Amino acid sequence: MELNRRTVIAGAAAAGIAATTLGGTAQAAAGHRPGKELFGRLADGTKVYRWSLQNGGIRMKVLSYGGVVQTLEVPDARGRHANVVAGFDGIDDYVAKSPYFGALIGRYGNRIGKGQFTLDGKSYQLSVNDGVNSLHGGAKGFDKRVWDVEPFTEGSDVGLRLYYTSVDGEMGYPGTLRSTVTYTLTRRGEWRVDYEATTDRATVVNLTSHVYWNLAGEGSGTIEDHELTIAAARYTPTDSGLIPTGELARVAGTPFDFRRAKPIGRDIRAGHEQQVLAKGYDHNWVLDKGVTARPEHIATLRDPRSGRTLRIATDQPGLQFYSGNFLDGTLTGTGGRTYRQGDALCLETQHFPDSPNHAAFPSTVLRPGQTYRTTTVHTFGA
């Protein structure tokens, strides 16, 4: 029997959650199939859709273009919702201007030095799009592809499965890579991201999500008062092109020590050589836990103004913390406000940058018959 609006609202009220209208259909904050609407068209006429889903007090909008998380609303300590991720209102800005706002990243998250690596004795030249280096999969990475999207409801969970096939040679990478990324909202207030991929030739893969966070609210100003904790005693210093040198340096006694919670702004202008190169923080932290069979808690972000917290758990060995150094006031977000330096930050779970060129780093090689699997869980609180 189809539920009418009164039944939906009553059910939501019983659960202590307000109902909202998504695409003209009233949906409670739990247990309802995601809604879909046309968001725009690419220059070649390809349709881009926006999916709306909610559960456990979280409201999210996701684009088929790049798997972009356009908005993500969570409550503060008073129960007031706000969008806490940076993004744009229209598809044209995502195509022409986006610094990877909210996007899925592949085939290889982060940088590969000079866009080159050797695998099984054969050298590969990748698309170069960051000076002489390859960044986030090249000039047209997974963030610029239109994904197939399938909504689902499973028990108390709701979510989306996103599919993309990267053909052999795309952006210079060997092998046809078939990727599935699953976004799940749980009734416990979690956003879970599960990545899977298979290949028909030996290749390298490192998938991640490039959400820009501001827990005080999108466009609300600096994140320098956010308190951050990262469970890592080491990080990977870089050269002037932000390519790891191969050293696993200790964070103790440096601005890179986030083993105890501290405001991001406390040491961001300390003048450390690595901060000068990156114009702030833009580094990979070597997580103490290493690669694990299951996601383990590795970072906590807290906004003292709103009381919102974000806890991140992953099975990956690294975390890229980027403090929004290159936001320059030229981009206008969904709330109509411009983004300036330090107005949002990224916490990208990953294998290390340039791993294919560092034998001592955890391997990112995927071979036929193997399945790449990794999970990151974001838990919100206030």
Short mmCIF file of all heavy atoms in Angstrom, two decimals, residues 230-238 246-259 274 283-290 298 317-321 350 352-353 360-361:
data_model
loop_
_atom_site.label_atom_id
_atom_site.label_comp_id
_atom_site.label_asym_id
_atom_site.label_seq_id
_atom_site.Cartn_x
_atom_site.Cartn_y
_atom_site.Cartn_z
N ILE A 230 44.72 13.18 14.44
CA ILE A 230 45.10 12.15 13.47
C ILE A 230 46.00 11.15 14.18
O ILE A 230 47.02 11.53 14.77
CB ILE A 230 45.85 12.73 12.26
CG1 ILE A 230 45.03 13.82 11.56
CG2 ILE A 230 46.19 11.62 11.26
CD1 ILE A 230 45.77 14.52 10.42
N ALA A 231 45.64 9.88 14.12
CA ALA A 231 46.40 8.83 14.79
C ALA A 231 47.59 8.42 13.93
O ALA A 231 47.60 7.36 13.30
CB ALA A 231 45.51 7.63 15.09
N ALA A 232 48.59 9.28 13.89
CA ALA A 232 49.76 9.04 13.05
C ALA A 232 50.99 9.69 13.68
O ALA A 232 50.99 10.89 13.95
CB ALA A 232 49.53 9.60 11.65
N ALA A 233 52.04 8.90 13.84
CA ALA A 233 53.31 9.40 14.38
C ALA A 233 54.27 9.82 13.28
O ALA A 233 55.32 10.40 13.56
CB ALA A 233 53.96 8.34 15.26
N ARG A 234 53.91 9.54 12.02
CA ARG A 234 54.77 9.89 10.90
C ARG A 234 53.95 10.46 9.74
O ARG A 234 52.74 10.25 9.67
CB ARG A 234 55.57 8.66 10.42
CG ARG A 234 56.55 8.10 11.45
CD ARG A 234 57.27 6.87 10.92
NE ARG A 234 58.16 6.28 11.91
CZ ARG A 234 59.44 6.59 12.06
NH1 ARG A 234 59.99 7.49 11.25
NH2 ARG A 234 60.18 6.02 12.99
N TYR A 235 54.63 11.16 8.86
CA TYR A 235 54.03 11.66 7.64
C TYR A 235 55.05 11.56 6.52
O TYR A 235 56.22 11.23 6.77
CB TYR A 235 53.52 13.10 7.81
CG TYR A 235 54.60 14.16 7.81
CD1 TYR A 235 54.78 15.00 6.72
CD2 TYR A 235 55.44 14.34 8.92
CE1 TYR A 235 55.77 15.98 6.72
CE2 TYR A 235 56.43 15.31 8.92
CZ TYR A 235 56.59 16.13 7.82
OH TYR A 235 57.57 17.09 7.81
N THR A 236 54.61 11.81 5.28
CA THR A 236 55.53 11.70 4.14
C THR A 236 55.87 13.10 3.62
O THR A 236 55.06 13.72 2.93
CB THR A 236 54.91 10.85 3.01
OG1 THR A 236 53.61 11.34 2.69
CG2 THR A 236 54.80 9.40 3.43
N PRO A 237 57.06 13.62 3.94
CA PRO A 237 57.49 14.91 3.40
C PRO A 237 57.55 14.86 1.87
O PRO A 237 57.72 13.80 1.27
CB PRO A 237 58.88 15.10 4.01
CG PRO A 237 58.93 14.20 5.19
CD PRO A 237 58.08 13.03 4.83
N THR A 238 57.46 16.04 1.25
CA THR A 238 57.43 16.12 -0.20
C THR A 238 58.51 17.07 -0.73
O THR A 238 59.08 17.87 0.01
CB THR A 238 56.06 16.62 -0.70
OG1 THR A 238 55.93 18.01 -0.37
CG2 THR A 238 54.92 15.83 -0.09
N GLY A 246 60.10 9.92 -0.09
CA GLY A 246 60.34 8.54 0.33
C GLY A 246 60.57 8.41 1.82
O GLY A 246 60.47 7.32 2.38
N GLU A 247 60.85 9.54 2.48
CA GLU A 247 61.07 9.53 3.92
C GLU A 247 59.74 9.39 4.66
O GLU A 247 58.71 9.95 4.25
CB GLU A 247 61.75 10.83 4.35
CG GLU A 247 62.01 10.94 5.84
CD GLU A 247 62.53 12.30 6.27
OE1 GLU A 247 62.60 13.21 5.41
OE2 GLU A 247 62.84 12.46 7.46
N LEU A 248 59.76 8.66 5.76
CA LEU A 248 58.64 8.62 6.69
C LEU A 248 59.07 9.39 7.93
O LEU A 248 59.68 8.83 8.84
CB LEU A 248 58.25 7.18 7.04
CG LEU A 248 57.93 6.24 5.87
CD1 LEU A 248 57.50 4.87 6.40
CD2 LEU A 248 56.84 6.84 4.98
N ALA A 249 58.78 10.68 7.94
CA ALA A 249 59.31 11.57 8.98
C ALA A 249 58.42 11.56 10.22
O ALA A 249 57.20 11.43 10.13
CB ALA A 249 59.42 12.98 8.43
N ARG A 250 59.03 11.74 11.36
CA ARG A 250 58.27 11.79 12.62
C ARG A 250 57.58 13.16 12.75
O ARG A 250 58.14 14.20 12.41
CB ARG A 250 59.20 11.56 13.81
CG ARG A 250 59.77 10.15 13.86
CD ARG A 250 60.53 9.89 15.15
NE ARG A 250 61.06 8.54 15.21
CZ ARG A 250 60.37 7.46 15.58
NH1 ARG A 250 59.10 7.60 15.94
NH2 ARG A 250 60.93 6.27 15.60
N VAL A 251 56.36 13.13 13.30
CA VAL A 251 55.61 14.37 13.50
C VAL A 251 55.99 15.04 14.81
O VAL A 251 55.75 16.24 14.98
CB VAL A 251 54.08 14.11 13.48
CG1 VAL A 251 53.66 13.49 12.16
CG2 VAL A 251 53.65 13.24 14.67
N ALA A 252 56.58 14.31 15.74
CA ALA A 252 56.90 14.86 17.06
C ALA A 252 57.76 16.12 16.93
O ALA A 252 58.73 16.15 16.19
CB ALA A 252 57.63 13.81 17.89
N GLY A 253 57.34 17.17 17.63
CA GLY A 253 58.08 18.42 17.63
C GLY A 253 57.89 19.26 16.39
O GLY A 253 58.63 20.24 16.19
N THR A 254 56.91 18.91 15.54
CA THR A 254 56.65 19.66 14.31
C THR A 254 55.18 20.09 14.27
O THR A 254 54.34 19.58 15.03
CB THR A 254 56.93 18.81 13.06
OG1 THR A 254 55.83 17.90 12.85
CG2 THR A 254 58.23 18.04 13.19
N PRO A 255 54.84 21.01 13.36
CA PRO A 255 53.43 21.40 13.21
C PRO A 255 52.54 20.26 12.71
O PRO A 255 51.31 20.39 12.71
CB PRO A 255 53.49 22.52 12.17
CG PRO A 255 54.89 23.04 12.23
CD PRO A 255 55.73 21.84 12.54
N PHE A 256 53.14 19.14 12.31
CA PHE A 256 52.39 18.02 11.76
C PHE A 256 51.91 17.04 12.83
O PHE A 256 51.33 16.02 12.51
CB PHE A 256 53.24 17.29 10.71
CG PHE A 256 53.54 18.14 9.51
CD1 PHE A 256 54.61 19.02 9.51
CD2 PHE A 256 52.73 18.08 8.39
CE1 PHE A 256 54.87 19.82 8.41
CE2 PHE A 256 52.99 18.88 7.29
CZ PHE A 256 54.05 19.75 7.30
N ASP A 257 52.13 17.38 14.07
CA ASP A 257 51.73 16.50 15.17
C ASP A 257 50.28 16.78 15.57
O ASP A 257 49.98 17.78 16.24
CB ASP A 257 52.65 16.70 16.38
CG ASP A 257 52.48 15.62 17.43
OD1 ASP A 257 51.50 14.84 17.34
OD2 ASP A 257 53.33 15.54 18.34
N PHE A 258 49.39 15.90 15.15
CA PHE A 258 47.97 15.99 15.51
C PHE A 258 47.55 14.78 16.33
O PHE A 258 46.37 14.41 16.33
CB PHE A 258 47.10 16.09 14.25
CG PHE A 258 47.13 17.45 13.59
CD1 PHE A 258 48.05 17.73 12.60
CD2 PHE A 258 46.23 18.44 13.96
CE1 PHE A 258 48.09 18.97 11.98
CE2 PHE A 258 46.25 19.68 13.35
CZ PHE A 258 47.19 19.96 12.36
N ARG A 259 48.50 14.18 17.04
CA ARG A 259 48.14 12.99 17.83
C ARG A 259 47.23 13.35 18.99
O ARG A 259 46.47 12.48 19.47
CB ARG A 259 49.42 12.30 18.32
CG ARG A 259 50.20 11.62 17.18
CD ARG A 259 51.52 11.06 17.66
NE ARG A 259 52.43 12.13 18.10
CZ ARG A 259 53.61 11.91 18.64
NH1 ARG A 259 54.03 10.66 18.83
NH2 ARG A 259 54.39 12.93 19.00
N GLN A 274 58.10 22.37 5.07
CA GLN A 274 57.06 21.62 4.36
C GLN A 274 55.78 22.43 4.22
O GLN A 274 55.07 22.33 3.21
CB GLN A 274 56.78 20.30 5.09
CG GLN A 274 57.86 19.26 4.91
CD GLN A 274 57.91 18.75 3.47
OE1 GLN A 274 56.91 18.31 2.92
NE2 GLN A 274 59.09 18.82 2.86
N HIS A 283 49.49 17.12 2.96
CA HIS A 283 50.42 16.01 3.14
C HIS A 283 49.68 14.72 3.50
O HIS A 283 48.54 14.75 3.96
CB HIS A 283 51.42 16.34 4.25
CG HIS A 283 52.36 17.44 3.90
ND1 HIS A 283 51.99 18.77 3.97
CD2 HIS A 283 53.66 17.43 3.48
CE1 HIS A 283 53.02 19.53 3.60
NE2 HIS A 283 54.04 18.74 3.30
N ASN A 284 50.39 13.64 3.32
CA ASN A 284 49.90 12.32 3.67
C ASN A 284 50.44 11.92 5.05
O ASN A 284 51.65 11.93 5.26
CB ASN A 284 50.38 11.31 2.61
CG ASN A 284 50.13 9.88 3.03
OD1 ASN A 284 48.99 9.43 3.11
ND2 ASN A 284 51.21 9.15 3.32
N TRP A 285 49.53 11.60 5.95
CA TRP A 285 49.90 11.08 7.26
C TRP A 285 49.96 9.56 7.20
O TRP A 285 49.04 8.92 6.65
CB TRP A 285 48.91 11.54 8.32
CG TRP A 285 49.27 12.83 8.99
CD1 TRP A 285 49.74 12.99 10.25
CD2 TRP A 285 49.20 14.15 8.42
NE1 TRP A 285 49.97 14.32 10.52
CE2 TRP A 285 49.64 15.06 9.42
CE3 TRP A 285 48.80 14.66 7.18
CZ2 TRP A 285 49.70 16.43 9.20
CZ3 TRP A 285 48.86 16.02 6.96
CH2 TRP A 285 49.31 16.89 7.96
N VAL A 286 51.01 8.98 7.75
CA VAL A 286 51.21 7.53 7.78
C VAL A 286 50.50 7.00 9.02
O VAL A 286 51.01 7.15 10.14
CB VAL A 286 52.72 7.19 7.82
CG1 VAL A 286 52.93 5.68 7.85
CG2 VAL A 286 53.42 7.80 6.60
N LEU A 287 49.35 6.41 8.82
CA LEU A 287 48.52 6.03 9.96
C LEU A 287 49.18 4.93 10.78
O LEU A 287 49.74 3.97 10.23
CB LEU A 287 47.15 5.56 9.47
CG LEU A 287 46.36 6.63 8.69
CD1 LEU A 287 45.07 6.05 8.13
CD2 LEU A 287 46.07 7.85 9.58
N ASP A 288 49.14 5.08 12.10
CA ASP A 288 49.81 4.14 13.00
C ASP A 288 49.34 2.71 12.77
O ASP A 288 50.12 1.77 12.89
CB ASP A 288 49.56 4.52 14.46
CG ASP A 288 50.23 5.82 14.86
OD1 ASP A 288 51.19 6.24 14.17
OD2 ASP A 288 49.80 6.43 15.86
N LYS A 289 48.07 2.53 12.43
CA LYS A 289 47.49 1.20 12.33
C LYS A 289 47.92 0.46 11.07
O LYS A 289 47.79 -0.77 10.98
CB LYS A 289 45.97 1.28 12.36
CG LYS A 289 45.40 1.91 11.10
CD LYS A 289 43.91 1.88 11.05
CE LYS A 289 43.41 2.31 9.70
NZ LYS A 289 43.90 1.47 8.57
N GLY A 290 48.39 1.17 10.04
CA GLY A 290 48.74 0.55 8.77
C GLY A 290 47.51 0.06 8.02
O GLY A 290 46.39 0.53 8.26
N ILE A 298 40.65 6.64 12.85
CA ILE A 298 41.98 7.23 12.64
C ILE A 298 41.99 8.76 12.76
O ILE A 298 43.07 9.35 12.86
CB ILE A 298 42.55 6.81 11.27
CG1 ILE A 298 41.57 7.10 10.11
CG2 ILE A 298 42.91 5.34 11.28
CD1 ILE A 298 41.71 8.43 9.46
N PRO A 317 46.09 2.81 4.71
CA PRO A 317 47.27 3.13 5.52
C PRO A 317 47.59 4.61 5.62
O PRO A 317 48.45 5.01 6.41
CB PRO A 317 48.39 2.42 4.78
CG PRO A 317 47.96 2.48 3.33
CD PRO A 317 46.46 2.33 3.36
N GLY A 318 46.91 5.46 4.81
CA GLY A 318 47.25 6.87 4.78
C GLY A 318 46.04 7.78 4.83
O GLY A 318 44.91 7.38 4.55
N LEU A 319 46.30 9.04 5.21
CA LEU A 319 45.27 10.08 5.23
C LEU A 319 45.90 11.36 4.72
O LEU A 319 46.88 11.85 5.29
CB LEU A 319 44.73 10.31 6.64
CG LEU A 319 43.68 11.41 6.77
CD1 LEU A 319 42.34 10.95 6.20
CD2 LEU A 319 43.50 11.85 8.23
N GLN A 320 45.35 11.90 3.64
CA GLN A 320 45.79 13.19 3.12
C GLN A 320 44.96 14.29 3.77
O GLN A 320 43.75 14.36 3.58
CB GLN A 320 45.64 13.25 1.60
CG GLN A 320 46.20 14.52 0.96
CD GLN A 320 47.71 14.46 0.74
OE1 GLN A 320 48.32 13.40 0.89
NE2 GLN A 320 48.31 15.57 0.35
N PHE A 321 45.62 15.15 4.52
CA PHE A 321 44.97 16.32 5.11
C PHE A 321 45.37 17.53 4.29
O PHE A 321 46.54 17.89 4.22
CB PHE A 321 45.37 16.48 6.57
CG PHE A 321 45.05 17.82 7.17
CD1 PHE A 321 43.89 18.51 6.85
CD2 PHE A 321 45.93 18.42 8.07
CE1 PHE A 321 43.60 19.75 7.39
CE2 PHE A 321 45.66 19.66 8.64
CZ PHE A 321 44.50 20.32 8.28
N GLN A 350 43.50 6.91 1.96
CA GLN A 350 44.20 6.54 0.74
C GLN A 350 45.40 5.65 1.03
O GLN A 350 45.81 5.46 2.18
CB GLN A 350 44.73 7.81 0.06
CG GLN A 350 45.71 8.58 0.97
CD GLN A 350 46.30 9.82 0.33
OE1 GLN A 350 45.84 10.32 -0.68
NE2 GLN A 350 47.38 10.31 0.91
N PHE A 352 49.53 5.78 -0.11
CA PHE A 352 50.40 6.96 -0.15
C PHE A 352 50.52 7.51 -1.57
O PHE A 352 50.46 6.76 -2.55
CB PHE A 352 51.79 6.62 0.37
CG PHE A 352 51.83 6.04 1.76
CD1 PHE A 352 53.00 5.46 2.24
CD2 PHE A 352 50.71 6.06 2.59
CE1 PHE A 352 53.05 4.92 3.52
CE2 PHE A 352 50.75 5.52 3.86
CZ PHE A 352 51.93 4.94 4.33
N PRO A 353 50.73 8.82 -1.71
CA PRO A 353 51.01 9.40 -3.03
C PRO A 353 52.26 8.77 -3.64
O PRO A 353 53.20 8.41 -2.92
CB PRO A 353 51.24 10.89 -2.72
CG PRO A 353 50.64 11.12 -1.38
CD PRO A 353 50.77 9.82 -0.64
N ALA A 360 59.13 0.83 -0.95
CA ALA A 360 58.93 0.68 0.49
C ALA A 360 57.52 1.08 0.93
O ALA A 360 57.13 0.79 2.06
CB ALA A 360 59.96 1.51 1.25
N PHE A 361 56.76 1.76 0.06
CA PHE A 361 55.39 2.14 0.40
C PHE A 361 54.45 0.94 0.19
O PHE A 361 54.74 0.08 -0.66
CB PHE A 361 54.92 3.30 -0.48
CG PHE A 361 55.54 4.63 -0.17
CD1 PHE A 361 56.48 4.78 0.84
CD2 PHE A 361 55.16 5.76 -0.89
CE1 PHE A 361 57.04 6.03 1.12
CE2 PHE A 361 55.70 7.00 -0.62
CZ PHE A 361 56.65 7.14 0.38
#
